[in-house]
Amino acid sequence: MLVALGGADEEDVMDRLWYGGDYNPEQWPSPVWDEDVRLMQRAGVTVATVGVFSWAKLEPADGRFEFDWLDDVLDRLHAGGIRVDLATATASPPPWLVLAHPDVLPVTEDGVRLSVGSRQHYNPSSATYRRYADRLVRAIAERYGEHPALEAWHVNNELGCHVHRDYSDESAAAFRRWLEARYGGVEALNEAWGTAFWSQAYGSFDEVMPPRAAPTFRNPTQLLDFDRFSSDAWLEVYRAEARILRELTPDVPVTTNFMGFFKPIDYWSHAPELDFVSDDHYVDPADPAAAVFAAMTRDLMRSLGSGRPWILMEQSTSAVNWRPRNAAKPPGMHRVLSLQAVARGADGVMQFQWRQSAAGAEKFHSAMLPHAGEDSRIFRETAALGEELATLADLVGTRLTAKVAVLFDWDSWWALEQPATPAQLSYLAIVLRWYRELWRRHVLVDFSRPDGDLSGYAVVIAPATQVLSAGAQENLAGFVRNGGHLVASYQTGVLDERLHVLLGGYLGALRETFGIRIEEFTPPAEPSMSGGPVPALAIEGLAAGRASEWGEIVRTDTAEALATFSGGMLDGLPAITRNRAGDGTAWYVATAPDDLRTVVDAVLEGTGVEAALPHPVDGVEAVRRGDRLFLLNHTDRPVEAAGHRLDAHGAAVVTGG
Ligand code: GLA
């Protein structure tokens, strides 16, 4: 991992890929620790993440710290040549703490205070939690800041994972402070929230509540602001810990593990505060689309770090324990998905966890060293992967360049999936539909925010980017003017950042860019309870055939219609349009064609966007990083790609290629 830090000199920089996992030695008697180090070496482990859930063992009673056992663990790892990603241990407060201070416990929107006995049971805005967590972080940083095994700090764990939002009185007060900072006065809040509707006007900030359980639809902007506030509250947890770590150890990189496309947290605002992005990703081996979604997540992680290498911090070697049915990964699948992460810019792949637990809620979750021990398929695959990753060390620090960007926007995600909309849509499903078309063509994709710098891209896709501020509208309009190719799907540019409708045909300043106006939304019906036939949408022209999910009345101004709806009330109206504006083109797609292939082919034509391989090969992913071509077979049958035979769930990493 190469991390650009002020004080780091050459010899501090790790030139191997990270490979290892969460290491929880407190679950085992100390004689097992020697075997752990020996087997880690056999498996090619380079880094262990230690201490994630160790608070109760490090501070068994208020203010009584016991570090001897952790000294021992870190020393053994160091002696074995294994680096340490040391956690701040703040993820799960011990029982003594929350029993003495129940105000630390989170409260749900129904007013239920959650209990101890699981994990991550704290409210991010709790001052008491903050006080205790700060003291622990300081103690750990003082003790281990100079330890020779220390590679990085791992703040907390999966912030917001179980408790997405807290609705306690303490959070209500923090929410009010956040709103005051955003709006200045309550009149501005009333205006932004549209409180003239349903008699919701507030006389002062003191009257404003978090969106707790209520009779029917809550105020949409209140919901959105609470989503934003809650994401920021988790950022404050990160910041508080990072501030202490940076004060005491300015040269040690700091990260916290993200959770991919995780709705509760706007990672665009969190990522710039991390020295490197890291991510936890658990594919469902039973889901045939899992590899595409995994690729999309890897691309988001690289994009969050502005193209810098990132770390896959957790994945499972085989089954997890938290789905209703937990499929095992067939032989090879774990390797292919690990190589996929490296291909897409990761400087390491880590797993949860090193040694499979014998007790506790995760005893049926796979690990690098399974219950069966070293004489097992999983451990053999673990060791083989360690050996292979060692051969890719020269990729450390190398970057990838994409010419296509897909917009990803948490405001739009939160807004689109609110209740009281024309139809309940899945933002991720819409994004994935577009992403998949680029993935199968082996075209690398970056993600960008709607107001991000788009100047390096030839093509930008905006899938259901429902919320566009005036600045974002102008950013996209400028991208097209300057020669870019912009593709927007339905439900793009419907609302501003206060969730006020862009009146007069939606799209705001982009109406001219697209050369259209939208008059009405007409999502098709879902099958009814009576099972009666549902009229399907059909389109003709570019992308002929069935369409689903969405229809609307589009009026062209300067745009040309490349496809039209056929039949029903939309018969003959535009379904796909294209407009030339300035030096570029703007495409609008008013429905979800079953087959997007012809559309994406037409969009890419003549743009100069390159693919890692010239043609799609069913189920095969191809990515170039540095001088390597990664060929990844996600199917359960052997295939031929670029002159290489790939086994079922097999891969080839070709130098030059
Ligand atoms: C998360 C957590 C880990 C573990 C895994 C299990 O990623 O960070 O502690 O619970 O899930 O999949």
Side-chain angles (χ1 to χ4, degrees), residues 294-314:
M296 177 161 123
T297 309
R298 323 286 197 219
D299 287 347
L300 176 69
M301 291 305 135
R302 191 186 62 252
S303 306
L304 287 170
S306 306
R308 280 176 296 147
W310 55 283
I311 296 285
L312 177 56
M313 191 60 93
E314 288 183 27

Side-chain angles (χ1 to χ4, degrees), residues 22 53 119 157-158 257 280 282 314 320 322 352 362 365:
D22 277 39
F53 291 104
R119 69 172 180 181
N157 193 58
E158 295 191 336
N257 42 349
D280 300 350
Y282 291 91
E314 288 183 27
V320 298
W322 40 262
F352 179 85
E362 291 182 328
H365 191 293

Side-chain angles (χ1 to χ4, degrees), residues 76 135 200 228 231 296 354 416 441 474-475 493 499 520 523 597 623 648:
R76 288 180 202 224
R135 185 174 72 178
Q200 291 172 347
R228 290 168 171 154
S231 175
M296 177 161 123
W354 161 250
L416 189 81
R441 285 172 176 72
E474 185 38 48
N475 190 41
L499 302 191
E520 231 181 290
R597 276 180 295 187
V623 190

Side-chain angles (χ1 to χ4, degrees), residues 623-625 627-631 641-642 644 646 652-657:
V623 190
R624 282 182 196 280
R625 181 178 180 192
D627 66 351
R628 305 298 210 293
L629 171 65
F630 289 77
L631 298 168
H644 296 269
L646 309 175
V653 183
V654 187
T655 307

